[in-house]
Amino acid sequence: MNWDLLFQMQNELDQRIKKEHKLEGQNIIQEKILALLVEIGELANETRCFKFWSNKGPNDQAVILEEYVDGLHFIISLGLELGYTYNGLHEDEQALDFSTTDRFLLVYEKAITFKNEQKQEPYKQLFDSFLQLGKDLGFEEEMIQRAYVNKNEVNHQRQDTGY
């Protein structure tokens, strides 16, 4: 995964949004954390992994991947906001054999830990848990990067049209 490219692309989008929405100098970390939590929920909803009451299966893999990269956008954006970088998955306890529901709950737990302690290590753990979730969902790095680049372009187009 070319993390430098993804961080650079996200930085360009973030700077554009800050300028066009007059957010320069404002602290929007809490808003980004809430946005991340919402995106994680939207991703879980598309996988339907927790819907024990329903026989309907998950949405198409392409839809799930798009929701996944929405979350990745906010994780990278949070890192940029706080001056943190990332250089790839550090597999440790993240590689445990968790159910998809357990994996989502771990990502939520790491996101809340990061909210409460906005330091490099909790950020890395959040990122690791999110990437492991992506692996568990069947996404390879190349797929994720391609989908990220495509969604970043869509996000710029949305800014062009006053989204």
Side-chain angles (χ1 to χ4, degrees):
M1 185 86 70
N2 185 344
W3 294 113
D4 290 339
L5 173 65
L6 272 54
F7 272 77
Q8 176 188 344
M9 291 176 72
Q10 187 63 47
N11 187 51
E12 289 171 11
L13 179 62
D14 285 358
Q15 294 308 313
R16 177 179 181 183
I17 290 170
K18 284 180 180 180
K19 181 178 180 184
E20 292 179 7
H21 294 270
K22 298 176 179 38
L23 298 170
E24 289 118 329
Q26 293 186 34
N27 184 340
I28 55 173
I29 291 173
Q30 294 298 89
E31 286 77 4
K32 288 183 180 186
I33 291 171
L34 179 56
L36 172 61
L37 293 170
V38 169
E39 293 298 342
I40 295 167
E42 290 178 0
L43 174 61
N45 199 49
E46 295 300 339
T47 71
R48 302 181 60 81
C49 65
F50 64 96
K51 295 189 175 188
F52 57 87
W53 60 87
S54 176
N55 291 324
K56 184 178 175 186
N59 210 327
D60 289 343
Q61 193 75 342
V63 173
I64 295 171
L65 179 57
E66 184 173 341
E67 290 296 340
Y68 181 81
V69 298
D70 285 347
L72 186 57
H73 272 87
F74 283 106
I75 292 174
I76 293 173
S77 185
L78 282 161
L80 289 165
E81 199 76 31
L82 294 166
Y84 301 150
T85 59
Y86 187 77
N87 59 8
L89 180 62
H90 303 89
E91 296 186 52
D92 48 8
E93 84 279 352
Q94 308 296 329
L96 293 174
D97 188 25
F98 286 168
S99 71
T100 306
T101 298
D102 287 337
R103 186 65 64 193
F104 272 104
L105 292 172
L106 181 63
V107 172
Y108 270 118
E109 178 184 319
K110 298 297 183 182
I112 295 302
T113 298
F114 174 71
K115 178 190 90 56
N116 294 329
E117 187 182 342
Q118 296 172 13
K119 295 189 167 40
Q120 178 75 46
E121 185 59 25
Y123 178 72
K124 182 187 82 59
Q125 291 177 5
L126 167 61
F127 219 134
D128 283 349
S129 68
F130 194 76
L131 287 181
Q132 188 60 52
L133 172 63
K135 286 178 71 173
D136 290 358
L137 293 174
F139 303 139
E140 297 176 6
E141 286 188 359
E142 304 81 41
M143 294 169 65
I144 295 169
Q145 184 166 322
R146 194 172 334 113
Y148 181 93
V149 169
N150 291 341
K151 188 61 184 264
N152 188 274
E153 184 178 312
V154 167
N155 288 339
H156 275 287
Q157 290 170 352
R158 286 177 172 171
Q159 292 302 308
D160 290 341
T161 58
Y163 178 76

